[in-house]
Amino acid sequence: MNFRAELVIEPQLYQLSKAGKLCVPAMNVNDSVTKQKFDNLYCCRESILDGLKRTTDVMFGGKQVVVCGYGEVGKGCCAALKAMGSIVYVTEIDPICALQACMDGFRLVKLTEVIRQVDIVITCTGNKNVVVRENLDRMKNGCIVCNMGHSNTEIDVASLRTPELTWERVRSQVDHVIWPDGKRIVLLAEGRLLNLSCSTVPTFVLSITATTQALALIELYNAPEGRYKQDVYLLPKKMDEYVASLHLPTFDAHLTELSDEQAKYLGLNKNGPFKPNYYR
Ligand SMILES: NC(=O)c1ccc[n+]([C@@H]2O[C@H](COP(=O)([O-])OP(=O)(O)OC[C@H]3O[C@@H](n4cnc5c(N)ncnc54)[C@H](O)[C@@H]3O)[C@@H](O)[C@H]2O)c1
């Protein structure tokens, strides 16, 4: 299986399972805690700046940025840009993530409210057609548009392939799309994932993701007959914790062990799992 393939197929696994068309047990590693926190949050927090710098050399201080989606990827992007002094707006459909954005100090807006003024637009929703031609028509000259979320579906790039617009390839992964009045927008990686296309991804994060995937395969392979049916499962919490514990020595980090008395008080096994399966 392609190393990153689960990013694309994970929502479809549930659809297949619901339709009774899944013919093998499947492990949804994308939603395991270690994968989500490290690949989605921390990896994107590092690589959003790298991807934008390498392609555009943009200065972040004071730039107005709108980030669509405040899930793990969006949170990482927003944190990095805020730390660089950008003015960050967030769009969300989910009131809980929206409230998180507000509490983290971001202005929650509709895309149409800020589209004329922003310098950078970043999609992180896992959805499709989040930025459409109408939005692209209203962007200001020089606006940078890129995607950190799902595949190449979030920005309706096909809508820019019309006769009145001119495409100019500035360098690899960077296109200027030019309107008849001379306005240009800077489209990165033709709407594909910016960091995977244009920057490096930290190997430490990849190690965490690869370990999660390997353990999921081992678990499916070794599981006794009947433990897993033709359905979608999350990695058992204990394995998720194991993935994290394997990476702690890198930081010379010293984990506290529960005393017998504390383990009894919390009703936990001293060796984990330390959190219920639903804990994120
Ligand atoms: N670039 C990378 O390296 C990388 C890494 C991991 C995941 N991903 C991809 O990024 C996407 C997001 O991942 P995530 O972990 O943040 O998912 P998530 O589900 O935690 O976050 C997505 C958020 O977008 C919101 N959303 C959905 N449609 C929206 C819309 N039209 N407008 C505004 N908000 C909307 C959802 O409510 C949700 O809060 C996924 O497709 C994932 O596969 C990319």
Side-chain angles (χ1 to χ4, degrees):
M1 189 172 78
N2 181 303
F3 182 67
R4 307 288 307 198
E6 98 284 355
L7 289 177
V8 178
I9 64 173
E10 173 261 325
Q12 283 131 38
L13 275 179
Y14 286 101
Q15 286 166 10
L16 282 173
S17 167
K18 215 171 158 190
K21 290 185 182 162
L22 198 64
C23 45
V24 288
M27 204 65 94
N28 169 10
V29 281
N30 195 44
D31 285 343
S32 59
V33 178
T34 37
K35 160 70 176 68
Q36 284 253 322
K37 296 287 174 218
F38 295 90
D39 195 335
N40 302 25
L41 176 65
Y42 299 120
C43 172
C44 292
R45 195 176 70 180
E46 304 244 347
S47 53
I48 180 64
L49 302 181
D50 187 29
L52 285 167
K53 271 282 184 218
R54 281 179 198 240
T55 46
T56 64
D57 265 337
V58 66
M59 185 176 163
F60 297 110
K63 287 288 184 311
Q64 298 198 44
V65 185
V66 61
V67 175
C68 302
Y70 200 67
E72 301 294 337
V73 173
K75 286 182 176 76
C77 293
C78 286
L81 289 157
K82 185 181 182 183
M84 291 301 291
S86 298
I87 300 153
V88 183
Y89 302 97
V90 170
T91 73
E92 249 301 340
I93 53 157
D94 170 1
I96 297 177
C97 293
L99 191 56
Q100 283 184 302
C102 295
M103 294 296 285
D104 288 339
F106 300 107
R107 283 286 314 279
L108 190 88
V109 294
K110 290 187 180 189
L111 187 57
T112 47
E113 290 172 50
V114 292
I115 199 68
R116 280 190 194 282
Q117 74 202 53
V118 288
D119 303 287
I120 305 174
V121 178
I122 304 169
T123 52
C124 313
T125 69
N127 205 339
K128 65 184 285 197
N129 292 342
V130 175
V131 174
V132 292
R133 175 65 189 263
E134 199 188 323
N135 307 130
L136 293 151
D137 281 340
R138 296 178 68 205
M139 285 172 191
K140 70 180 184 189
N141 184 38
C143 184
I144 297 169
V145 189
C146 65
N147 169 43
M148 286 288 284
H150 185 53
S151 182
N152 60 353
T153 58
E154 302 214 15
I155 303 163
D156 185 8
V157 175
S159 73
L160 292 172
R161 302 268 182 204
T162 49
E164 77 281 14
L165 301 186
T166 313
W167 284 59
E168 193 179 296
R169 172 58 47 114
V170 180
R171 66 178 78 95
S172 168
Q173 310 285 7
V174 185
D175 287 293
H176 281 185
V177 183
I178 309 162
W179 268 249
D181 66 356
K183 178 190 99 167
R184 289 168 183 250
I185 64 156
V186 184
L187 177 66
L188 302 182
E190 294 184 63
R192 295 183 298 273
L193 277 78
L194 175 73
N195 57 343
L196 300 192
S197 308
C198 308
S199 80
T200 60
V201 176
T203 51
F204 184 73
V205 167
L206 287 186
S207 167
I208 293 173
T209 300
T211 309
T212 310
Q213 290 173 330
L215 283 178
L217 286 173
I218 292 168
E219 169 68 13
L220 285 174
Y221 186 78
N222 284 339
E225 191 80 31
R227 178 184 290 173
Y228 296 111
K229 306 190 173 46
Q230 291 166 0
D231 207 344
V232 188
Y233 296 88
L234 285 174
L235 195 67
K237 179 64 75 186
K238 199 166 165 40
M239 287 198 170
D240 230 345
E241 291 172 355
Y242 180 56
V243 174
S245 72
L246 287 174
H247 289 82
L248 278 176
T250 313
F251 301 102
D252 190 24
H254 304 156
L255 203 60
T256 301
E257 285 169 25
L258 281 173
S259 67
D260 290 334
E261 186 196 12
Q262 288 172 331
K264 198 170 163 207
Y265 183 69
L266 293 177
L268 294 175
N269 184 315
K270 278 176 81 173
N271 299 318
F274 299 100
K275 296 280 171 19
N277 238 7
Y278 55 80
Y279 179 84
R280 309 208 65 75

